[in-house]
Amino acid sequence: MNKNRINILKKINHRDGPIVYWMSRDQRIEDNWAVIFGLELAKEKNQPFVIVFNLVKSFLDATYRHFHFMLMGLKETQLKSHEYNIPFKLLLGNPIENIPEFLRKIKAGVLITDFDPLKIKRYWKNKISQAIDIPFYEVDAHNIVPTFYASDKMEFAAYTYRPKIKKLLPYFLEEFPIIDNQKKYWDFEEINPDELLSQIKVDTTVREVKDIKPGATNAQLELDYFISHKLNKYNELRNNPNYNYQSNLSPYLHFGQISSQRIALEIKKLNSEDANTESFLEELIVRRELSDNFCYYCPNYDNNLGFHEWAIKSLQEHSKDEREFTYTLEQFEKAQTHEDLWNAAQMEMVQKGKMHGYMRMYWAKKILEWTPNPEEAQKMAIYLNDKYSIDGRDPNGYTGIAWSIGGVHDRPWADRPVFGKIRYMNLNGAQRKFDIVQYINNNLYLKLI
Ligand code: FAD
Ligand code: FO1
């Protein structure tokens, strides 16, 4: 495989022992470069390849909804792993202790993990690297062009990242090699989602949603449906919240139940280089990978210090502007603002686990408008998005919120109250774009359920 997908976290001589993949972000067996690399190494060294997943008891305020989705997906992943005779072990607790202990127990020779730009994951990796004495590799199994290879700095905007990605795509957008069964070594006990859900500490009031079904098989079905029923109108209808013309793949991408590279390969296979394909691949590749670039190179991706200087200055200049409405977190959470459109979007997220992409921008910008300051606005938006959206606590979420509230990857616009030079969105604009009454009727009633 292309070795530029690999980052060395600990350089030390290999020694005999199982090759272990600590799976975290890319929770699938097929189309996974970390699995491919692990199996290659295992074959070369004539050692078993083993996968371990560490389930933490809490993770960035994730709720029952998220853990349920993840564990149901992992159950399927484990079954698939065992089909290839790859032992798949689930550990419960703190990865900083569990992973080194597991490696010692099975006398591992090499540790591999998947790439993730989030601070908490980098902290875990750093601590684990200090605690082990075997080589440690990180494979970017999430992006088509590896984040650490595509650019060595935080990109200014999509227009600066796009040419870099496009230049490198021919080298990285390749078909995945077929993985072979390894000989049978041993199996670990089966994952039992219900039992595990009872052992973790999460908010159980936010329940699973019926329309977003977990797992790699459902991810593939969603992709097939998108290609056969929606792609031909994606460009025209994706920004209309009354039509479900987005792919709905973000929950699966977030948990790595499907690979973005597989999606791109299937779309490319259609050979229809029209505006629909182009705009979908722009979102899937350029925009999504730009979010990883932002979070990787900007540790302040979740606070105001991550904004451009012009945005910080402009928001500061307007910090004392009078706000016509201000709401508490509780009022936002309960969809109790004066505006039905905003309340409907909030209810869509709370009840359906996913808000339409156009409304996400509107929703976050109104939080900026209706809170005392941008720091609070950003915190509240992250809290609500991460609590209810199945695809929350993802680089795309932190970046989307930083774009809406802090102009990240955007340019300065005409100066106006409260927003300063941050791009503004209002009710009239939404009304011109789509039938807001229909959207309100479809979503606000969810409050009554
Ligand atoms: P599609 O339109 O079908 O797009 C396909 C894929 O392209 C998406 O799954 C996603 O991976 C990528 N993509 C699409 N739009 C964007 C974008 N603007 N930026 C980066 N990647 C994109 N996305 C999340 O995955 N998780 C989040 O928590 C999240 N929070 C957001 C919060 C705000 C305030 C904003 C403005 C955007 C947020 N986004 C988030 C980005 C975007 O809205 C979603 O990725 C998209 O709506 C997901 O739906 P889909 O898969 O049906 O999208
Ligand atoms: N990663 C893990 O390695 N272990 C977990 O227990 C875990 C829980 C979890 C819950 C919700 C969620 O949204 C993500 C979770 N992740 C977990 C991490 C995830 O796989 C991603 O790596 C990051 O959230 C985004 O890159």
Side-chain angles (χ1 to χ4, degrees):
M1 70 175 261
N2 188 333
K3 296 289 183 280
N4 292 318
R5 297 186 194 277
I6 304 167
N7 195 14
I8 304 177
L9 297 180
K10 191 169 184 113
K11 201 170 178 172
I12 190 170
N13 283 342
H14 283 204
R15 62 164 198 234
D16 282 349
I19 312 296
V20 177
Y21 166 26
W22 164 34
M23 177 183 278
S24 178
R25 192 185 192 194
D26 290 283
Q27 301 171 13
R28 62 183 184 281
I29 303 300
E30 286 162 344
D31 304 338
N32 183 334
W33 291 112
V35 172
I36 293 163
F37 177 52
L39 281 169
E40 265 181 21
L41 266 186
K43 197 168 174 188
E44 184 189 310
K45 298 185 180 307
N46 199 20
Q47 292 290 339
F49 173 58
V50 179
I51 300 180
V52 58
F53 185 89
N54 189 88
L55 178 68
V56 284
K57 291 193 175 176
S58 63
F59 186 73
L60 301 173
D61 290 334
T63 62
Y64 183 93
R65 174 175 291 176
H66 305 102
F67 278 97
H68 178 269
F69 190 87
M70 184 176 83
L71 286 166
M72 294 302 287
L74 279 172
K75 187 176 162 65
E76 185 181 341
T77 300
Q78 187 190 45
L79 290 175
K80 179 62 76 184
S81 188
H82 287 169
E83 274 176 32
Y84 287 101
N85 291 331
I86 302 170
F88 188 110
K89 172 79 178 166
L90 187 136
L91 304 171
L92 178 64
N94 184 349
I96 297 171
E97 289 152 15
N98 285 351
I99 298 294
E101 194 187 315
F102 179 73
L103 298 174
R104 274 192 295 275
K105 215 190 245 166
I106 66 163
K107 297 190 172 52
V110 173
L111 177 63
I112 298 166
T113 194
D114 38 43
F115 167 77
D116 195 325
L118 296 194
K119 285 178 274 193
I120 182 168
K121 302 289 284 293
R122 293 168 83 172
Y123 173 76
W124 290 352
K125 287 176 193 175
N126 198 11
K127 288 286 174 196
I128 290 170
S129 179
Q130 286 168 20
I132 60 175
D133 57 0
I134 54 173
F136 187 11
Y137 300 99
E138 174 184 59
V139 179
D140 193 342
H142 214 76
N143 294 292
I144 301 173
V145 182
T147 301
F148 41 73
Y149 187 78
S151 169
D152 57 5
K153 61 171 195 288
M154 187 177 112
E155 292 294 330
F156 192 74
Y159 75 84
T160 65
Y161 205 38
R162 192 177 299 109
K164 295 184 180 174
I165 292 290
K166 290 216 160 150
K167 192 168 152 209
L168 292 168
L169 268 183
Y171 302 100
F172 290 100
L173 186 49
E174 57 188 328
E175 193 40 84
F176 291 94
I178 305 233
I179 55 175
D180 294 328
N181 287 13
Q182 69 171 348
K183 80 173 194 234
K184 187 150 177 104
Y185 291 95
W186 65 87
D187 279 350
F188 288 109
E189 76 268 33
E190 256 181 54
I191 291 176
N192 180 337
D194 287 333
E195 199 182 301
L196 290 164
L197 281 164
S198 71
Q199 292 174 42
I200 56 178
K201 288 183 252 147
V202 290
D203 180 347
T204 50
T205 62
V206 186
R207 306 303 292 186
E208 70 271 33
V209 289
K210 68 171 176 14
D211 290 336
I212 309 179
K213 298 189 174 69
T217 303
N218 286 316
Q220 186 61 45
L221 288 174
E222 200 67 62
L223 173 60
D224 295 344
Y225 188 81
F226 174 69
I227 289 177
S228 54
H229 291 85
K230 303 191 200 172
L231 181 60
N232 65 346
K233 290 217 168 69
Y234 180 76
N235 198 35
E236 183 193 335
L237 296 177
R238 77 193 162 102
N239 272 326
N240 188 327
N242 289 325
Y243 292 94
N244 179 11
Y245 264 79
Q246 290 192 283
S247 69
N248 293 327
L249 287 167
S250 57
Y252 305 104
L253 283 163
H254 171 70
F255 287 101
Q257 295 173 358
I258 195 166
S259 135
S260 62
Q261 185 154 341
R262 170 58 58 207
I263 303 172
L265 287 169
E266 291 215 13
I267 301 280
K268 286 258 177 198
K269 254 190 245 155
L270 305 170
N271 271 329
S272 55
E273 283 165 14
D274 59 1
N276 294 309
T277 307
E278 203 182 304
S279 60
F280 181 72
L281 292 178
E282 166 74 11
E283 299 301 333
L284 179 79
I285 306 177
V286 178
R287 301 281 165 169
R288 202 181 47 79
E289 302 203 353
L290 180 63
S291 299
D292 263 32
N293 168 278
F294 176 59
C295 293
Y296 189 55
Y297 289 111
C298 177
N300 291 312
Y301 57 75
D302 55 356
N303 67 66
N304 279 210
L305 293 175
F307 299 171
H308 290 298
E309 250 169 61
W310 63 259
I312 296 178
K313 186 164 169 281
S314 176
L315 286 167
Q316 181 62 34
E317 282 164 6
H318 288 272
S319 61
K320 302 267 180 308
D321 291 0
E322 197 183 325
R323 272 79 173 149
E324 198 182 348
F325 304 95
T326 53
Y327 297 105
T328 61
L329 178 63
E330 195 185 353
Q331 287 171 313
F332 279 125
E333 189 160 6
K334 292 189 172 153
Q336 288 169 345
T337 77
H338 65 285
E339 200 194 272
D340 280 353
L341 181 61
W342 193 93
N343 295 341
Q346 172 69 13
M347 290 321 295
E348 182 182 32
M349 176 174 72
V350 169
Q351 300 290 358
K352 296 184 179 166
K354 186 170 180 285
M355 189 191 298
H356 188 277
Y358 177 85
M359 291 311 299
R360 280 183 135 157
M361 299 188 264
Y362 185 87
W363 172 88
K365 285 187 179 287
K366 292 291 150 187
I367 296 181
L368 170 63
E369 193 175 334
W370 300 332
T371 38
N373 59 62
E375 289 82 10
E376 263 186 61
Q378 191 180 15
K379 268 196 201 125
M380 287 189 198
I382 290 176
Y383 172 83
L384 294 171
N385 189 48
D386 287 0
K387 182 165 178 182
Y388 295 105
S389 302
I390 299 204
D391 61 12
R393 74 195 61 67
D394 188 279
N396 280 350
Y398 298 115
T399 309
I401 289 168
W403 177 87
S404 308
I405 294 176
V408 165
H409 300 147
D410 206 355
R411 64 171 173 85
W413 291 72
D415 201 62
R416 56 185 312 129
V418 183
F419 280 80
K421 293 182 177 162
I422 304 296
R423 186 197 295 246
Y424 176 64
M425 282 172 88
N426 69 3
L427 196 59
N428 288 342
Q431 250 155 355
R432 278 195 300 274
K433 250 189 143 50
F434 64 98
D435 181 350
I436 64 165
V437 175
Q438 188 185 340
Y439 180 77
I440 291 167
N441 286 340
N442 281 344
N443 293 288
L444 195 56
Y445 80 94
L446 294 169
K447 203 172 175 178
L448 306 172
I449 295 174

